[in-house]
Amino acid sequence: MIITTNESIPGHEFEVLGLVVGNTVQAKNIGRDILSGLKGMVGGEITAYTEMLSEARKIALERMQKEAEKLGADAVIALRFSTAETMPGAAELMAYGTAVKLR
């Protein structure tokens, strides 16, 4: 399946099927919090959080793609990501776009 941030796919016409969304909520754990607090004092990348967000992005994309497949889509255009704090210590990562059927 083609997934792109572009609003079209060069050389292709398509039928819009609708919005598709995939999301996941990830929570911090106390071990990561302690390590990130220490890292925050000295500076630098907090790799535990980088890894957590990379995994969350992968999960959200997979879920969005499955939703597009259920609609019979060949592609998802205008892919975007969004994040939000759902409660202290937990964040949602959402992938969303427009499912399309290529002609």
Side-chain angles (χ1 to χ4, degrees):
M1 176 172 296
I2 299 168
I3 299 176
T4 181
T5 58
N6 293 336
E7 294 183 12
S8 64
I9 300 171
H12 293 279
E13 292 185 14
F14 54 83
E15 171 191 354
V16 173
L17 301 176
L19 175 69
V20 286
V21 176
N23 68 331
T24 184
V25 176
Q26 299 285 325
K28 298 185 275 187
N29 70 40
I30 191 141
R32 284 186 179 160
D33 285 346
I34 292 168
L35 290 174
S36 67
L38 294 172
K39 192 68 156 184
M41 286 188 269
V42 297
E45 180 179 9
I46 304 168
T47 56
Y49 286 123
T50 300
E51 291 167 4
M52 182 181 75
L53 289 172
S54 291
E55 181 66 19
R57 196 169 36 254
K58 179 181 172 189
I59 292 167
L61 276 170
E62 287 172 354
R63 290 178 179 173
M64 182 198 68
Q65 183 174 340
K66 284 181 184 177
E67 190 172 318
E69 289 169 353
K70 287 179 187 176
L71 295 176
D74 299 310
V76 175
I77 60 171
L79 168 69
R80 301 292 184 265
F81 289 101
S82 174
T83 60
E85 183 179 35
T86 56
M87 59 185 255
E92 174 188 40
L93 195 138
M94 180 184 306
Y96 61 97
T98 303
V100 299
K101 182 77 173 168
L102 300 178
R103 292 185 183 156

